[in-house]
Amino acid sequence: MSESSAGAAAGEVMAVAAATAPGWRRAGVAGAAIGVLAAGAAAGVAVERLTVGRGMRKKARLALDATGPYGSLRGTPGRAVADDGTELYYEVDEVEPVQPEDGTGSEGNRRRRLFGRKAPAPVTVVFSHGYCLGQDSWHFQRAALRGLVRAVYWDQRSHGRSERGRAQADGVAVGIDQLGRDLKAVIDAAAPEGRIVLVGHSMGGMTMMALADQYPALIRDRVAAVAFVGTSSGKLGEVNFGLPVAGVRAVRRVLPGVLRALGTQAELVEKGRRATADLFAGLIKRYSFSSRDVDPAVARFAERLIESTPIDVVAEFYPAFTEHDKSGALPAFRDVPVLILAGEKDLVTPSSHSEAIADVLPDAELILVPDAGHLVMLEHPETVTDRLADLLVRGGAVAAANVGEHGSTAQQPGRR
């Protein structure tokens, strides 16, 4: 597919989305386009003509939904309360206790309690997900690290199982600074003491930067290591999403009006998104992955994560990214081990944005994964898990990089 055909498709989709005439078909195309934009994708890509009937394609999606355990891992639930009263849902995976061969493990713990010798709090790894995703987007890394480290997975406000942002319900625009304060509330509730490792993908990485900007003492005193995955410290308004100049200009010209319109017609647009599921799936695959052989069940899992985000949430979050600029907060991470990882073919937060972060943090480990797109932790989970395990060793979270092979799609049902 040429860039010119992709640009033409973008112009057509966005023109239809911008049209003022009512109709669920127009809303559907707009919903598909903006839904993918929200997930970190840009609007518009030409989709090859499908030769399989719609009914059969629907059955195939249902079959993929039942394939594999993607997103099925659960931990101990908890809720933190943000500064505006919003309840933020999180889960904790605890470290599995290691019993010595002589069976004295529980007795040793009892003696420590009796004599007042409190074991130091374990290092806690806090995972922050990206825009229009949820904590389950870390499925492979969670499977590999389960029981080996204490980990917290949370859903950002208005995403997953977290409550819809209360301030947003009152008309307050959501910003990256608010997300940084949300992360602080989660840390206070789920990891109030001990060292922490921060891991964030896309919007999650931006959330971590906002945390550092507002709470530098927390970073200095408690953070043991940091991982930025497919994220950016600013200038997202300059991203071209792999489109030619004309396509980018068309998207930017109509997008603000489209978002305002969609946010007020959520029910109609959601119907349209379901009706245009095939186009939606093609767009998600285009902007989430780069590999041609992505497991269909993994691709469908990503689609489910993205389509579960209501269109009005998509609309209210999007403006925050063009305003995002946290390059000034990055030096707060200079004294800890840092991993910066991105897909070389990421069209949403291009690898050049990761390189810009590395310029500010020259001692960081920079990994650009070949043949990888925006959802690199789902597309190449082995690589992400391996580098993350090494970071955890350097940050003192684990004694050795002893993660299992659960971070590989080859270990999951449905791999082809």
Side-chain angles (χ1 to χ4, degrees):
M1 182 187 306
S2 69
E3 283 198 345
S4 59
S5 62
E12 181 178 358
V13 168
M14 297 306 295
V16 173
T20 57
W24 67 267
R25 292 185 183 276
R26 288 187 174 87
V29 175
I34 306 304
V36 176
L37 266 168
V45 59
V47 178
E48 294 180 1
R49 179 172 297 176
L50 299 173
T51 58
V52 182
R54 175 175 293 180
M56 188 171 293
R57 293 196 299 274
K58 182 177 180 180
K59 290 181 180 179
R61 286 195 293 272
L62 292 175
L64 290 174
D65 288 347
T67 300
Y70 307 127
S72 63
L73 300 177
R74 301 270 66 89
T76 303
R79 291 189 183 275
V81 180
D83 56 5
D84 66 345
T86 301
E87 290 191 352
L88 305 168
Y89 178 83
Y90 65 83
E91 293 180 358
V92 181
D93 287 355
E94 298 288 357
V95 178
E96 294 179 359
V98 178
Q99 296 293 337
E101 294 181 1
D102 61 6
T104 62
S106 59
E107 177 65 16
N109 290 334
R110 187 179 73 86
R111 287 178 179 174
R112 280 194 294 273
R113 289 196 300 272
L114 287 175
F115 292 98
R117 296 179 181 178
K118 183 180 179 181
V123 176
T124 300
V125 187
V126 183
F127 287 83
S128 301
H129 68 79
Y131 185 29
C132 286
L133 297 172
Q135 63 175 267
D136 290 341
S137 61
W138 297 107
H139 174 83
F140 293 115
Q141 292 68 45
R142 188 172 189 171
L145 298 172
R146 202 167 174 83
L148 298 175
V149 298
R150 186 176 192 271
V152 173
Y153 302 86
W154 69 294
D155 292 325
Q156 303 238 31
R157 66 173 50 219
S158 303
H159 291 70
R161 296 172 178 83
S162 283
E163 185 182 13
R164 184 68 180 271
R166 294 191 181 185
Q168 284 66 66
D170 294 333
V172 178
V174 66
I176 302 300
D177 284 340
Q178 176 65 70
L179 304 184
R181 295 194 296 274
D182 290 353
L183 176 55
K184 175 63 162 52
V186 171
I187 292 172
D188 288 346
E193 58 181 7
R195 304 282 280 170
I196 56 178
V197 175
L198 300 174
V199 182
H201 168 250
S202 194
M203 182 177 75
M206 302 174 205
T207 299
M208 289 156 45
M209 297 174 201
L211 177 75
D213 192 33
Q214 298 172 91
Y215 306 98
L218 173 67
I219 307 301
R220 182 185 65 246
D221 298 339
R222 296 190 57 197
V223 172
V226 176
F228 294 113
V229 181
T231 190
S232 170
S233 60
K235 298 185 178 180
L236 287 169
E238 300 176 6
V239 175
N240 63 17
F241 302 109
L243 297 173
V245 174
V248 175
R249 287 176 177 170
V251 169
R252 291 174 179 166
R253 184 172 61 253
V254 304
L255 185 54
V258 170
L259 286 171
R260 286 193 297 270
L262 294 181
T264 61
Q265 302 181 52
E267 183 177 353
L268 181 64
V269 174
E270 292 301 339
K271 290 181 180 179
R273 287 173 77 179
R274 292 192 293 272
T276 57
D278 296 320
L279 172 62
F280 192 65
L283 288 166
I284 290 175
K285 189 172 183 180
R286 156 76 170 167
Y287 285 101
S288 296
F289 307 108
S290 174
S291 308
R292 292 187 176 183
D293 61 346
V294 173
D295 181 351
V298 172
R300 175 56 188 160
F301 173 51
E303 183 184 345
R304 289 199 338 258
L305 286 171
I306 293 169
E307 68 187 9
S308 67
T309 306
I311 196 66
D312 45 347
V313 173
V314 171
E316 73 186 22
F317 268 71
Y318 187 79
F321 301 110
T322 58
E323 300 170 1
H324 167 63
D325 182 359
K326 284 292 181 283
S327 56
L330 292 176
F333 300 109
R334 281 179 175 165
D335 295 330
V336 298
V338 176
L339 168 67
I340 304 169
L341 186 147
E344 280 191 346
K345 298 182 180 179
D346 189 336
L347 298 176
V348 179
T349 51
S351 58
S352 59
H353 286 235
S354 288
E355 291 175 318
I357 296 173
D359 288 341
V360 180
L361 301 172
D363 293 331
E365 178 185 24
L366 175 63
I367 302 294
L368 302 183
V369 184
D371 198 22
H374 190 56
L375 300 188
V376 60
M377 68 283 189
L378 293 177
E379 186 173 13
H380 294 285
E382 302 93 336
T383 300
V384 175
T385 303
D386 179 68
R387 302 320 308 155
L388 184 57
D390 181 70
L391 177 74
L392 295 180
V393 173
R394 290 188 285 138
V398 291
N402 187 29
V403 298
E405 294 182 348
H406 302 287
S408 169
T409 55
Q411 301 300 315
Q412 307 289 346
R415 177 65 175 173
R416 298 181 181 180

